[in-house]
Amino acid sequence: MSKHYDALETRNPVEREAALMAALPAQVAHAQKNSPAFAKSLAGVNAASITSREALAKLPVIRKYELLAQQQEQRATNVFGGFSAIGFGKAMPRVFASPGTIYEPEGARPDYWRMARAIYAAGFRAGELAHNCFSYHFTPAGSMMETGAHAIGCTVFAGGTGQTEQQVGAMAELKPAGYIGTPSFLKIIVEKAAEMGVKLPTVTKALVSGEAFPPSLRDWLAERGIAGYQCYATADLGLIAYETEAREGLVLDEGVIVEIVRPGTGDPVPEGEVGELVITTLNSDYPLIRFGTGDLSAVLPGQCPTGRTNVRIKGWMGRADQTTKVRGMFVHPGQVAEVVKRFPEIKRARLVVTGEMANDQMSLKVEAAEAEGLAQKIGDAVRDITKLRADVSLVALGSLPNDGKVIEDARTYQ
């Protein structure tokens, strides 16, 4: 039995990149034609010229707050803010809501969210029963996992959330091969089963998502005979990356183009540097082009020992939106990026906010070679852009932490 879901996972990386770049112009053209929001944001863009990552990086990033704002502005005429390429009817069996509230369409094709790949990597196979404890109402998580499991050939028990004792009872009687849901709820179920004196010997694997899955919990489950694997997905994009038995980061899905950019910008960072995940999906129903997730991650070098050849990321490493308020003024990563762009001498920068509440102080640490008057000029630029004063210090190249932080709030709150 193959340990890979399909041949796409083991393609030569050059072949994969060529296929993704070949699909990109058509997706951009499709978004321009069928999505009013992208017809506006990509106006004047020659879709046929978007054939490389360099060309893609010149397109604007659409961030979640912009998607929400456009939906709210157009509630009366277009609940999807002009981003969806399909409308109500057979092409859209379901609509979901994610926090915000952002409404998300679900298309009609099998495994719409592309979750089968992650579920398969977690060990689920055709003919097995999967106990799905993601929510089936409002948010798409339950449907995301169910449609993916169906694509593999699994039967699904729609457990949903809560009702822990009933979940234990259903598991004991139906004998599912594994669990799908949040890791914390699986722990609650296992503990409740022990409290009830009920054994669940058939539950030997799990695909978890929706929250952190620390090694301590992974090991706790393993001690009880459950091999848990995690995946990274969103309601906007579906599957982005998934864990394998190698447990070395998360392997990217085959249906997305992933960039990692400096927070507050759309500029790709060097490989290995932490930045914001920006995703272009090849989903024709909801063709998001350069969608900023707001999540931080970094590329891992090398390939997965399981034989999967796609790029790996380190997983979720925090949030990219580091906007903070200093002396009554909002300061955001985009402003720091604007300062950096004015000075080619700067390689990286980090704004540190210190002091106690009502006595804020800003210092900008920049990786740059010493040059007469440079610190003063940078300080003037900070004041021009943020309307606030900052002390500027030049630090050695490579000395700033590689954690994706552009703004560090180090204030003490008492």
Side-chain angles (χ1 to χ4, degrees):
M1 186 177 294
S2 174
K3 64 180 179 180
H4 302 128
Y5 181 62
D6 58 23
L8 296 179
E9 295 182 357
T10 56
R11 283 183 290 180
N12 183 299
V14 174
E15 177 189 346
R16 175 183 294 107
E17 184 70 4
L20 291 174
M21 293 305 106
L24 190 52
Q27 181 71 339
V28 172
H30 176 77
Q32 289 174 315
K33 181 180 179 181
N34 298 284
S35 164
F38 282 108
K40 182 178 179 179
S41 67
L42 300 180
V45 172
N46 178 11
S49 70
I50 311 300
T51 58
S52 67
R53 288 181 181 269
E54 291 74 22
L56 179 63
K58 294 178 182 177
L59 302 183
V61 173
I62 300 295
R63 291 195 161 81
K64 198 152 190 163
Y65 69 86
E66 295 175 293
L67 189 155
L68 174 60
Q70 291 197 42
Q71 283 201 4
Q72 290 175 332
E73 288 171 5
Q74 300 179 44
R75 283 285 191 251
T77 57
N78 189 322
V79 294
F80 302 109
F83 286 95
S84 178
I86 56 175
F88 297 151
K90 289 184 178 180
M92 189 189 298
R94 300 182 185 88
V95 174
F96 292 100
S98 59
T101 299
I102 295 176
Y103 293 107
E104 315 279 3
E106 180 183 79
R109 67 179 173 276
D111 195 21
Y112 172 81
W113 309 91
R114 308 179 316 284
M115 292 305 307
R117 192 175 305 283
I119 297 170
Y120 193 91
F124 289 85
R125 295 295 182 267
E128 294 182 333
L129 175 65
H131 191 106
N132 185 10
C133 282
F134 274 116
S135 175
Y136 274 80
H137 67 281
F138 270 81
T139 64
S143 184
M144 290 170 77
M145 295 299 181
E146 178 165 303
T147 53
H150 287 167
I152 291 173
C154 292
T155 296
V156 176
F157 177 74
T161 58
Q163 300 175 293
T164 311
E165 288 190 13
Q166 289 95 321
Q167 303 281 6
V168 172
M171 284 184 172
E173 294 175 350
L174 289 171
K175 298 178 172 55
Y179 163 96
I180 297 175
T182 63
S184 60
F185 192 45
L186 176 56
K187 184 174 187 289
I188 289 170
I189 290 174
V190 171
E191 289 176 332
K192 175 59 71 171
E195 179 186 314
M196 296 168 62
V198 176
K199 295 187 181 300
L200 304 174
T202 65
V203 182
T204 60
K205 51 202 170 194
L207 178 67
V208 300
S209 193
E211 61 189 24
F213 185 42
S216 58
L217 180 51
R218 181 193 67 197
D219 294 343
W220 186 91
L221 291 171
E223 290 168 2
R224 288 153 181 82
I226 303 172
Y229 296 88
Q230 61 184 315
C231 70
Y232 170 47
T234 74
D236 322 275
L237 300 158
L239 181 65
I240 297 171
Y242 59 99
E243 190 174 23
T244 74
E245 60 187 10
R247 299 196 183 278
E248 294 183 7
L250 305 180
V251 178
L252 295 184
D253 178 52
E254 300 291 330
V256 291
I257 298 171
V258 176
E259 303 169 88
I260 297 183
V261 307
R262 189 156 282 112
T265 77
D267 304 329
V269 301
E271 184 171 316
E273 187 171 323
V274 177
E276 180 187 6
L277 286 158
V278 170
I279 315 296
T280 295
T281 174
L282 298 180
N283 177 359
S284 59
D285 296 339
Y286 200 40
L288 297 177
I289 309 292
R290 297 204 86 202
F291 183 77
T293 64
D295 293 325
L296 295 174
S297 194
V299 169
L300 277 174
Q303 294 180 357
C304 183
T306 64
R308 294 173 175 88
T309 57
N310 209 340
V311 172
R312 299 176 300 167
I313 58 174
K314 291 184 178 179
W316 188 82
M317 299 177 69
R319 293 292 294 170
D321 184 10
Q322 299 151 25
T323 299
T324 189
K325 186 177 280 190
V326 181
R327 297 198 289 277
M329 300 280 287
F330 281 107
V331 181
H332 55 81
Q335 292 174 309
V336 178
E338 191 175 340
V339 171
V340 171
K341 285 183 178 179
R342 291 191 183 186
F343 301 92
E345 301 94 330
I346 300 178
K347 305 305 177 186
R348 293 171 66 204
R350 185 185 188 98
L351 187 70
V352 181
V353 185
T354 56
E356 298 178 355
M357 190 60 72
N359 186 29
D360 305 323
Q361 298 172 5
M362 294 197 319
S363 62
L364 184 68
K365 301 181 186 297
V366 296
E367 292 184 3
E370 290 284 350
E372 186 176 352
L374 179 60
Q376 178 63 47
K377 292 176 183 176
I378 295 172
D380 291 343
V382 172
R383 187 157 193 164
D384 177 45
I385 292 168
T386 68
K387 312 306 178 189
L388 296 165
R389 190 184 69 81
D391 295 323
V392 177
S393 57
L394 307 183
V395 301
L397 297 180
S399 63
L400 293 178
N402 180 23
D403 57 7
K405 282 190 178 180
V406 174
I407 299 176
E408 177 186 353
D409 190 344
R411 288 173 289 193
T412 56
Y413 300 89
Q414 296 180 348

